[in-house]
Amino acid sequence: MSKFSVETIRHSAAHIMAAAVQKLFPDAKFDIGPATEDGFYYDFDMSHRLVPEDLEKIENEMRHLINQKLPFTVRNLTRAEAETILREREQNFKLERLADIPEAAEITFYSCGDFTDLCRGPHVEHSGQIGAVKLMSIAGSYFRGKENNPMLQRIYGTAFAEKSELHDYLQRIEEAKRRDHRKLGTELDLFSFSENVGPGLVLWHPKGAFIRHTFETIWKEEHYKNGYQMLYTPHIGRSALWETSGHLEFYKDAMYSPMKIDNFDYYTKPMNCPFHIEIYKSRLRSYRELPLRWSELGTVYRYEKSGVLHGLLRVRGFTQDDAHIICTPEQIEDEIAEVLRFSLSIWQAFGFTEIKPYLATKPEKAVGDPARWAKALQALERAVKKAGLNCEVDEGGGAFYGPKIDLKVKDAIGREWQTTTIQFDFNLPERFNMTYVGDDGQRHQPFMVHRALFGSLERFFGILVEQYAGAFPVWLAPEQARILPISEKQIDFAHRVCREMRASGLRVEVDPRASSIGAKIKEARNERIQYLLVVGDKEMENGTCAVRSRREDQLGEMSVADIIAKIQDDVAKKI
């Protein structure tokens, strides 16, 4: 086991990668090369346009440098000395980064072999301690992430202390590619995007729409059972609403251009909360009415730059599974505990059992009464403790308008996904002057909590596709069984079986094509159909089907009634 952290190993690997690039492409100019959660990257500006074949050359040069066990050495320089070195080397990007370093801060340069880098460290002692490295991909990146700045070339890589760790990681990458919801969405005919419609706007196909309908139905039923009421609100609102909420002041870059209606500017909504507040304010509220748990599957629109759009995981139009809890200060602790319990129960119902909360606390700049902040944080901490979960604290990571809990779930291959958010808001109740009449006859400001459970239906669906690798469990699958007649003679019988199964509430299709039975079985398996019901002369005569499971293969000849009972049992047990 290495005595260095994986972050230190990866930071050192980025340094060695830059050294290799300098050796192969001497005119290269350097920006930054940090370690990341999965590896590292470095940004370069050079005349040579990198292609995938270059990664092997750079990786070979890195291994050469690693095998030499070159020491990492550090020098402390004055700002003037650092500027002189960088100007002599015409490293203008590094000069700008140098200007970001506070006056009183230490300025360090690390060297390894012939390469020297402005860097705060730390690094391994020598290059031989880096372990196993792999360069993954090439991408473009604007300097400082701003479109008006030069476009740099970014190389992504990863590094581990042991070769076995790298091997396991690369296997996970391959498995992630196999599960990629964008690929499976096309293969399984679930959804698509169209340039004629616009990037980031999802077209739901029948099969995908059915799965969405299924989990929407569960979502609504469970919300009603747990004391929520459903709301519906418009897709657009007048500019005055967004001025009051602060969106036009702080969020305008993510909103679409206004449309003029009756001489008023209207905006498509980026969030649902101002509409819910307007419903709350439609009449005077009493403490006797609280708590209110209002939920909505509300479609919102946000301008996301084209470079960050990513299948269903990052889109421009999406349905947020919103809820707002409005309650008295005395009720807040019980409400937070309940909303956390409810959120966990929904995720577990869909097969996610590894769930971790992250508590984001008060930042330096915040609005709202400090006493309310303290009470809110206590409510969040106690809710996590009551749920028996280990919580990671993000000190100062809360929004300016309130602390929050984020839930992250692990999927079938160990990836962590940011999902549920339980967010206090001390800003909007004040901006909209939300009040209720207390038992003292006076008006008081309620506590307000935003809660997005799935985050968005689109993102949740993308996560589900990858969780199940497209092989949805029987209860969720849009097509639970497919009947495969061997020849044209069995087609009428196949349709009779189909009608009987559909009458029992099952989702069944017939494949009447003249293809061979082998081809039909192969195609059905590729489409992740769980039950394949083969029908030949014998089965037609006996009123049965030869049943195959996508996983278990031959299950034998079964009556239609037994097939129906088996699938219904799978559905009931959420198999």
Side-chain angles (χ1 to χ4, degrees):
M1 179 180 292
S2 173
K3 65 180 180 179
F4 300 100
S5 70
V6 70
E7 182 180 8
T8 299
I9 290 171
R10 288 170 178 170
H11 190 186
S12 304
H15 192 111
I16 290 296
M17 180 174 74
V21 168
Q22 178 181 264
K23 183 77 177 290
L24 296 169
F25 310 104
D27 70 335
K29 310 300 179 189
F30 304 94
D31 183 24
I32 55 173
T36 65
E37 184 179 349
D38 293 321
F40 60 88
Y41 68 81
Y42 214 118
D43 290 344
F44 306 96
D45 182 29
M46 53 186 170
S47 58
H48 176 77
R49 179 55 54 188
L50 291 168
V51 294
E53 291 74 21
D54 290 320
L55 295 183
E56 186 177 351
K57 298 174 188 174
I58 298 168
E59 199 175 294
N60 287 337
E61 183 60 32
M62 287 177 69
R63 290 199 183 95
H64 176 67
L65 296 172
I66 288 170
N67 290 337
Q68 292 182 61
K69 298 184 179 180
L70 300 168
F72 277 87
T73 59
V74 61
R75 285 189 295 161
N76 287 60
L77 300 179
T78 66
R79 188 171 296 273
E81 289 171 333
E83 286 181 355
T84 298
I85 289 173
L86 295 175
R87 288 188 192 282
E88 286 176 351
R89 298 179 181 182
E90 298 181 349
Q91 294 292 346
N92 295 329
F93 301 114
K94 288 291 186 183
L95 276 168
E96 285 205 35
R97 298 294 181 179
L98 176 65
D100 293 339
I101 299 175
E103 285 297 326
E106 189 176 60
I107 296 173
T108 55
F109 277 64
Y110 277 83
S111 297
C112 188
D114 295 330
F115 182 71
T116 299
D117 198 13
L118 171 67
C119 178
R120 67 171 179 263
H123 288 292
V124 296
E125 294 165 356
H126 62 77
S127 60
Q129 294 168 323
I130 287 175
V133 297
K134 177 69 178 176
L135 300 188
M136 306 297 293
S137 61
I138 301 164
S141 173
Y142 290 106
F143 178 57
R144 293 184 180 274
K146 296 180 179 178
E147 293 179 1
N148 295 329
N149 285 342
M151 171 69 80
L152 306 180
Q153 299 186 75
R154 175 173 293 180
I155 301 177
Y156 286 99
T158 193
F160 292 87
E162 304 292 338
K163 287 183 179 180
S164 60
E165 294 175 301
L166 176 60
H167 177 265
D168 290 345
Y169 172 76
L170 294 177
Q171 281 198 321
R172 290 196 300 274
I173 292 292
E174 287 305 309
E175 181 62 17
K177 289 179 183 177
R178 187 180 75 84
R179 293 170 179 262
D180 191 322
H181 74 280
R182 295 167 296 177
K183 176 177 74 76
L184 292 174
T186 299
E187 289 177 4
L188 303 179
D189 196 24
L190 301 173
F191 63 87
S192 65
F193 295 90
S194 165
E195 285 298 319
N196 290 330
V197 175
L201 301 171
V202 186
L203 299 172
W204 293 81
H205 296 203
K207 289 182 179 180
F210 181 85
I211 297 171
R212 172 171 170 161
H213 161 76
T214 301
F215 63 70
E216 275 188 11
T217 301
I218 293 170
W219 188 94
K220 290 178 181 178
E221 289 174 348
E222 291 302 313
H223 276 73
Y224 279 126
K225 286 179 190 176
N226 285 272
Y228 287 79
Q229 296 169 302
M230 214 65 63
L231 305 178
Y232 292 94
T233 61
H235 287 240
I236 62 173
R238 280 186 180 179
S239 59
L241 181 72
W242 308 112
E243 287 164 5
T244 303
S245 69
H247 283 90
L248 283 179
E249 183 178 357
F250 301 110
Y251 204 74
K252 191 173 182 178
D253 288 347
M255 296 173 68
Y256 285 97
S257 300
M259 60 192 85
K260 190 72 75 173
I261 304 174
D262 297 334
N263 293 319
F264 290 97
D265 283 343
Y266 283 73
Y267 289 85
T268 53
K269 64 178 177 180
M271 296 180 185
N272 300 303
C273 22
F275 295 91
H276 293 196
I277 293 171
E278 288 297 320
I279 294 173
Y280 179 87
K281 291 190 64 182
S282 64
R283 62 177 174 81
L284 187 62
R285 304 284 174 175
S286 164
Y287 74 96
R288 297 180 186 276
E289 297 176 66
L290 305 182
L292 293 172
R293 300 171 186 157
W294 285 347
S295 56
E296 178 182 12
L297 294 175
T299 301
V300 298
Y301 302 89
R302 299 179 188 174
Y303 173 65
E304 300 280 5
K305 293 182 179 179
S306 58
V308 302
L309 296 177
H310 183 81
L312 297 178
L313 305 183
R314 196 77 176 263
V315 292
R316 288 176 173 166
F318 57 93
T319 301
Q320 198 166 39
D321 65 327
D322 245 344
H324 292 95
I325 292 89
I326 304 168
C327 63
T328 69
E330 294 75 25
Q331 295 166 333
I332 192 62
E333 192 165 316
D334 287 342
E335 287 304 304
I336 290 296
E338 173 56 25
V339 76
L340 180 58
R341 181 208 63 78
F342 179 58
S343 299
L344 291 170
S345 72
I346 294 293
W347 280 105
Q348 288 161 356
F350 282 91
F352 295 87
T353 55
E354 290 191 65
I355 305 170
K356 186 175 180 181
Y358 291 76
L359 174 61
T361 63
K362 187 177 182 180
E364 285 186 19
K365 294 182 180 179
V367 299
D369 179 3
R372 288 197 156 214
W373 271 88
K375 190 174 183 67
L377 276 169
Q378 287 173 3
L380 293 173
E381 288 168 347
R382 287 174 182 162
V384 170
K385 188 175 181 181
K386 186 175 180 180
L389 298 171
N390 292 320
C391 179
E392 191 167 310
V393 178
D394 179 10
E395 291 290 350
F400 75 92
Y401 49 83
K404 65 174 179 173
I405 289 175
D406 288 325
L407 295 182
K408 295 185 180 181
V409 303
K410 276 192 177 179
D411 68 10
I413 59 172
R415 295 173 300 180
E416 202 170 52
W417 299 88
Q418 164 68 53
T419 56
T420 301
T421 293
I422 302 168
Q423 170 78 65
F424 274 90
D425 192 336
F426 302 125
N427 182 47
L428 289 183
E430 192 171 301
R431 279 179 169 270
F432 281 91
N433 192 27
M434 295 173 69
T435 62
Y436 66 92
V437 178
D439 59 1
D440 58 0
Q442 302 299 310
R443 294 201 180 194
H444 303 272
Q445 189 179 98
F447 271 81
M448 180 177 178
V449 176
H450 306 266
R451 190 236 58 201
L453 201 157
F454 294 145
S456 80
L457 300 191
E458 287 74 9
R459 189 167 187 274
F460 175 64
F461 186 60
I463 294 171
L464 270 188
V465 172
E466 299 201 7
Q467 165 77 352
Y468 296 121
F472 296 101
V474 176
W475 66 272
L476 190 58
E479 187 178 343
Q480 296 165 324
R482 183 174 295 177
I483 304 170
L484 310 175
I486 291 177
S487 69
E488 189 175 352
K489 289 188 295 182
Q490 296 93 32
I491 289 177
D492 287 344
F493 174 71
H495 282 293
R496 287 201 302 275
V497 172
C498 182
R499 286 193 293 271
E500 185 176 348
M501 294 180 72
R502 285 180 177 175
S504 299
L506 302 183
R507 302 185 288 277
V508 188
E509 300 290 341
V510 174
D511 184 348
R513 297 173 304 162
S515 307
S516 70
I517 193 64
K520 289 182 181 182
I521 289 171
K522 181 179 180 181
E523 187 170 322
R525 281 184 171 151
N526 288 340
E527 293 180 31
R528 278 68 164 180
I529 309 301
Q530 295 291 2
Y531 288 104
L532 316 181
L533 313 181
V534 178
V535 177
D537 288 340
K538 183 180 73 168
E539 289 78 19
M540 185 169 65
E541 183 179 336
N542 296 338
T544 59
C545 299
V547 182
R548 295 170 179 243
S549 164
R550 194 180 76 84
R551 292 187 180 277
E552 299 170 28
D553 208 11
Q554 303 275 5
L555 297 180
E557 192 174 342
M558 297 172 65
S559 69
V560 177
D562 285 345
I563 296 169
I564 291 171
K566 177 169 179 55
I567 297 176
Q568 287 178 335
D569 186 56
D570 286 354
V571 171
K573 293 177 180 176
K574 292 288 190 289
I575 292 176

